[in-house]
Amino acid sequence: MSNVLVLVDHTAGTVRKTTAELLTIARRLGEPVAVFVGEGVADALPALGQYGATKVIALSNPELTQFLVAPKAEALAQVAAKIEPSAILISSNAEGKEIAARLAVKLDSGLITDAVDVVAADGGAVTTQSVFAGNFTVQAKVTHGTPIITVKPNAATPEAAETSPEVEEFDVTISDAAKTARIVESKPREATGRPELTEAAIIVSGGRGTGGDFGPIEAFADSLGAAVGASRAAVDSGWYPHAYQVGQTGKTVSPQLYVAAGISGAIQHRAGMQTSKTIVAVNKDPEAPIFELVDFGVVGDLHKVLPTATEEVTKRKS
Ligand code: FAD
């Protein structure tokens, strides 16, 4: 079976859920080989084995984490030259997409970004993407070189496989040209206790209809263990930070459940959330365009509906 490289997304050896999803997808295409950059590979090993990595290639050259993405792209190109994978899967976040783009140039290969699904078909990896602000869904396949695919969070449900991968240290040489942007400081994001927006399985978002009070949004999100999102109208009004904006000029999310409260459903907002598996809207206007998109709609005032829903969820949990 051919090898499929998966670039591991981790923080000091704690593997992110997106990597479990990539390994699950990789198993549809061949034998998953995880590429681990930085320190903490021993800590990461159980999680990588749990989701089916047959081997872990460890890249511990400190230059890989001292500089921005260019060294990682160089290193991955060297690994790919040795392993000759049938595909390379990378998480669709800002760093992942930049690495993927640089890697595609180095390997003279086709690149597909933001896949929401990847299946084995037609003798290779066929992806599904939502394009043109979500107006079309396309199936695509790389026809030149090694397919490099960035995959959005929640594209697959992680499936356990229980393997015991061996770790192989791999020496890479980083060129001076790749060492031009050094990381001088790195700060962890502010701890909210909530899941990261782009990785969350559930998101509760608020819009102009909140009137600036995100209390009911946050309380409902917390009752569900969800992340909080916001429309641009809410962000532009200064009610919520831009890091939480969902949409064309914000984050693209694809959770299992997306709750839009007080959001009208403008095309630019939809572009960031319409691949969510289940969409629920709470809006006091029955004619709001968001209702064209939803699986479940509640016509009502979010300041009444959300606290009632929060109470009900909390009651059922206890
Ligand atoms: P509105 O459209 O004003 O809708 C508010 C909704 O709340 C209404 O439907 C109303 O009925 C409802 N409501 C009011 N009070 C209540 C209540 N008490 N209870 C329940 N419902 C209530 N927008 C984004 O979101 N993300 C983007 O990334 C983005 N990028 C953009 C990029 C460009 C180039 C442009 C031109 C626009 C972009 N926009 C984006 C803006 C977008 O066009 C809309 O203006 C924005 O999404 C509207 O936000 P909203 O739905 O919160 O507000």
Side-chain angles (χ1 to χ4, degrees):
M1 249 218 268
S2 61
N3 290 313
V4 178
L5 287 187
V6 169
L7 179 61
V8 177
D9 217 353
H10 71 100
T11 308
T14 303
V15 176
R16 303 179 87 138
K17 183 171 150 266
T18 45
T19 298
E21 294 163 7
L22 292 190
L23 289 169
T24 301
I25 289 172
R27 274 156 49 209
R28 300 173 188 161
L29 309 172
E31 297 245 341
V33 174
V35 180
F36 186 95
V37 179
E39 291 180 5
V41 67
D43 294 332
L45 213 49
L48 298 177
Q50 186 185 354
Y51 292 103
T54 53
K55 187 192 222 181
V56 178
I57 294 180
L59 309 177
S60 51
N61 183 331
E63 290 175 338
L64 290 167
T65 45
Q66 286 165 358
F67 296 88
L68 292 180
V69 295
K72 289 183 187 157
E74 271 195 9
L76 264 184
Q78 290 166 39
V79 173
K82 164 110 189 290
I83 302 280
E84 297 184 351
S86 59
I88 302 174
L89 305 181
I90 299 176
S91 297
S92 258
N93 51 38
E95 180 179 276
K97 285 200 265 190
E98 191 176 339
I99 292 172
R102 288 170 180 268
L103 185 61
V105 173
K106 287 179 193 306
L107 297 181
D108 186 24
S109 292
L111 165 68
I112 292 173
T113 56
D114 289 338
V116 292
D117 195 15
V118 186
V119 294
D122 195 20
V126 174
T127 66
T128 303
Q129 288 161 283
S130 174
V131 298
F132 296 131
N135 282 316
F136 295 92
T137 298
V138 294
Q139 263 76 44
K141 189 182 168 197
V142 169
T143 55
H144 184 82
T146 307
I148 299 166
I149 302 165
T150 76
V151 183
K152 280 172 67 165
N154 298 307
T157 306
E159 288 165 18
E162 303 300 348
T163 52
S164 306
E166 58 182 271
V167 179
E168 181 187 317
E169 283 291 335
F170 190 96
D171 281 334
V172 290
T173 316
I174 306 302
S175 70
D176 287 343
K179 292 187 277 191
T180 49
R182 183 184 286 278
I183 298 169
V184 288
E185 193 186 357
S186 157
K187 283 189 194 156
R189 78 187 163 95
E190 197 188 323
T192 60
R194 300 191 183 101
E196 213 276 314
L197 184 60
T198 56
E199 289 180 13
I202 307 176
I203 296 173
V204 182
S205 285
R208 204 194 308 269
T210 60
D213 176 10
F214 264 63
I217 304 285
E218 291 185 334
F220 188 45
D222 290 343
S223 74
L224 294 167
V228 171
S231 74
R232 177 158 160 183
V235 170
D236 284 353
S237 304
W239 299 339
Y240 228 69
H242 179 259
Y244 299 89
Q245 182 179 315
V246 172
Q248 190 180 321
T249 43
K251 300 263 165 63
T252 306
V253 298
S254 199
Q256 298 293 331
L257 171 63
Y258 187 89
V259 181
I263 293 177
S264 60
I267 183 73
Q268 296 89 354
H269 188 79
R270 293 177 184 211
M273 46 64 76
Q274 65 186 359
T275 55
S276 305
K277 307 287 181 297
T278 302
I279 299 172
V280 177
V282 181
N283 198 304
K284 66 179 187 184
D285 174 7
E287 304 296 326
I290 191 84
F291 285 127
E292 293 161 13
L293 190 69
V294 299
D295 298 284
F296 301 97
V298 181
V299 178
D301 182 344
L302 71 89
H303 295 101
K304 294 193 181 121
V305 174
L306 291 189
T308 308
T310 305
E311 203 182 306
E312 193 59 32
V313 172
T314 310
K315 209 186 325 170
R316 286 181 189 216
K317 278 199 305 193
S318 58

